[in-house]
Amino acid sequence: MNKTKAFHDLHHGAGPLVLPNAWDFGSAAVLAAEGFAAIGTTSLGVAVAAGLTDGAGVTRDETLALATRLARLPVPVTVDIEGGFSEDPGTVAEYVAQLAGLGIAGVNLEDGRADTALAEPGHQAELIAAIKSRAPELFVNARVDTYWLRLQQDSTLARAEEYVQAGADGVFVPGVTDPDQIGRIVAAVPLPVNMLYSVAGPSIAELAALGVRRISTGSLLYRAALAGIVDVARAVRDGGAIRSGIPSYREIQAITGS
């Protein structure tokens, strides 16, 4: 299977691509075994697992190491590379080319910087264009962080248009939960639109009806896993009931191929 082509095709299927986001090989492997058609990564999970800060551009090596392991999965994988780990277009493009060489099908490139500022859209477009020039088949999901950071929200569509013109394959606007706003974004963007699933926002069916083509879980699964760890540890300590359905040691060994 050509995973990169398959990943592109998943954005144009009968329904939206529901993309769970993993943070290590084990989490990705169990999601693939569950039948999810593609797997993404969560930069928060990757960063915190390494004792680092998300969104600060400091997980370049950890992200590459994880991508190397995830490339062996039987499904397409897209990798969150934050802002590209550099402001130099050539450096970002070379890094993404390494990912493509491993067999990674896509990347998520955000225009937020350190959770406090937005990149200049023209420069962000240069990064996208450099990536597409170096790895033209890779799916580039251009993330617009105006709603996520609550900054310059009136520039959302202009930014999206600039990234489309630069060669992006999809546009991601996390932080939007109002159906009318989502509908306006979908209508204005000629590429597959990605939204972040929110428990307080529209359901998967409602997002599909609005024309959303990709729905990511972001850091939700990682945060839920941490909550689950604490719940089970408390149950062991306090003599409480432990939830059923926890995979056995041998089941995990089998899923990860060990």
Side-chain angles (χ1 to χ4, degrees):
M1 177 180 67
N2 183 327
K3 293 180 186 177
T4 302
K5 181 182 184 302
F7 189 60
H8 278 267
D9 291 345
L10 286 169
H11 292 77
H12 302 280
L17 167 63
V18 177
L19 184 74
N21 297 84
W23 58 93
D24 61 8
F25 183 83
S27 58
V30 297
L31 290 166
E34 181 62 23
F36 285 95
I39 306 295
T41 65
T42 164
S43 62
L44 177 70
V46 174
V48 175
L52 299 171
T53 302
D54 183 33
V58 295
T59 59
R60 183 185 191 280
D61 293 343
E62 288 77 11
T63 299
L64 181 60
L66 177 58
T68 302
R69 293 189 287 271
L70 297 189
R72 64 190 251 216
L73 292 173
V75 298
V77 173
T78 180
V79 174
D80 187 337
I81 61 170
E82 297 184 11
F85 305 122
S86 173
E87 294 298 340
D88 176 67
T91 301
V92 175
E94 178 57 32
Y95 182 76
V96 174
Q98 284 184 271
L99 297 175
L102 294 171
I104 296 301
V107 293
N108 191 75
L109 181 71
E110 63 195 47
D111 65 3
R113 295 293 185 267
D115 280 343
T116 58
L118 292 166
E120 194 277 318
H123 178 67
Q124 188 74 3
E126 290 179 14
L127 299 182
I128 294 168
I131 291 171
K132 292 302 292 185
S133 176
R134 189 74 172 77
E137 295 183 359
L138 198 84
F139 191 103
V140 176
N141 200 37
R143 175 170 149 170
V144 181
D145 274 341
T146 48
Y147 281 86
W148 185 250
L149 298 181
R150 300 179 183 179
L151 295 171
Q152 303 175 37
Q153 292 181 359
D154 58 352
S155 73
T156 300
L157 295 182
R159 286 173 176 271
E161 182 179 0
E162 194 149 2
Y163 304 159
V164 169
Q165 294 301 316
D169 300 287
V171 171
F172 182 23
V173 189
V176 185
T177 57
D178 178 73
D180 290 338
Q181 290 176 330
I182 293 171
R184 284 193 290 271
I185 292 169
V186 170
V189 176
L191 298 177
V193 170
N194 183 185
M195 287 291 164
L196 181 67
Y197 176 78
S198 170
V199 295
S203 67
I204 298 296
E206 289 168 334
L207 289 169
L210 289 167
V212 174
R213 300 304 306 157
R214 170 168 158 178
I215 303 164
S216 302
T217 61
S219 65
L220 175 62
L221 302 184
Y222 178 65
R223 292 181 285 112
L226 294 183
I229 289 169
V230 174
D231 286 346
V232 172
R234 284 175 177 163
V236 170
R237 181 191 65 192
D238 302 335
I242 295 177
R243 53 158 291 187
S244 62
I246 297 176
S248 70
Y249 177 88
R250 288 182 175 81
E251 287 172 327
I252 293 299
Q253 285 282 72
I255 285 174
T256 58
S258 301

